[in-house]
Amino acid sequence: DFYNLPVHPVHRENGTPIFVEVDLPGRRVTARVWRVQVGRVPLFLLDTNLPANRPEDQDITDELYGGDRDMRIRQEILLGIGGLRALAAMGIRPDVCHMNEGHAAFLGLERARMLLRGHGLTYPEARQASSAGNVFTTHTPVPAGFDLFDPNLVLHYFSDYAASLNVPFDVFV
């Protein structure tokens, strides 16, 4: 029974709900931020099942590890980029970000983008500065445990992101 679970929408101090947006090719996807209290630890979740999103984007957060490579890259963009934006919207500015497996790896790009925009750094400077606070661990060190994306799929989803940073795509990759 969803309404009896310890899951609650996250709100700003003024009472408005927190939503984050990520850009995908030709569209913007919105996710609502939810909080689950797990003992003393807050767990934040992102939900794209919103009427404002296209039907195929409403399904991004439906199923863990679900779908084809296109769905997986959209899930990982939302988790990495959208997740870091959700923390920022809540006023949480982590010094260190832990990525367990590669699922949230795109947060490294978003951390660099935030430094680039917020401190006037170049992309190489921002990438180096943000990497000092990125920690990666894996518990599945076999090929099946790693997400690999075709370069054309990465180009499709990140060409505008790279351009927004004024970075040639080959340098960005």
Side-chain angles (χ1 to χ4, degrees):
D1 181 2
F2 180 79
Y3 295 99
N4 288 317
L5 293 174
V7 179
H8 304 284
V10 178
H11 293 86
R12 290 184 169 76
E13 287 184 17
N14 66 7
T16 60
I18 294 181
F19 293 91
V20 294
E21 297 177 331
V22 295
D23 291 322
L24 297 180
R27 64 196 187 275
R28 183 163 284 163
V29 175
T30 302
R32 185 161 193 181
V33 182
W34 295 81
R35 178 186 175 132
V36 180
Q37 195 63 39
V38 182
R40 295 182 302 163
V41 178
L43 170 67
F44 298 103
L45 305 172
L46 300 175
D47 177 17
T48 59
N49 189 11
L50 303 170
N53 292 327
R54 292 180 181 183
E56 65 270 20
D57 293 331
Q58 291 177 11
D59 295 339
I60 292 173
T61 56
D62 282 358
E63 182 181 357
L64 183 63
Y65 308 129
D68 59 12
R69 303 313 291 159
D70 188 76
M71 175 60 84
R72 290 293 299 138
I73 199 168
R74 286 186 285 143
Q75 288 177 330
E76 293 186 16
I77 289 168
L78 181 69
L79 179 61
I81 295 172
L84 199 59
R85 290 178 183 178
L87 292 176
M90 292 183 286
I92 300 170
R93 308 251 183 306
D95 292 323
V96 176
C97 291
H98 175 219
M99 296 166 274
N100 181 40
E101 307 291 347
H103 311 307
F106 295 133
L107 82 78
L109 298 173
E110 184 65 6
R111 289 188 83 203
R113 187 195 69 81
M114 288 176 161
L115 283 171
L116 190 145
R117 293 277 165 82
H119 299 284
L121 302 177
T122 65
Y123 178 70
E125 292 168 337
R127 191 184 72 202
Q128 183 177 7
S130 67
S131 69
N134 294 336
V135 177
F136 177 84
T137 58
T138 186
H139 59 79
T140 315
V142 297
F146 297 104
D147 288 319
L148 299 175
F149 297 110
D150 181 90
N152 289 326
L153 189 62
V154 176
L155 177 64
H156 176 71
Y157 278 99
F158 284 99
S159 60
D160 289 344
Y161 194 91
S164 75
L165 301 174
N166 294 319
V167 177
F169 190 74
D170 61 328
V171 173
F172 175 79
V173 171

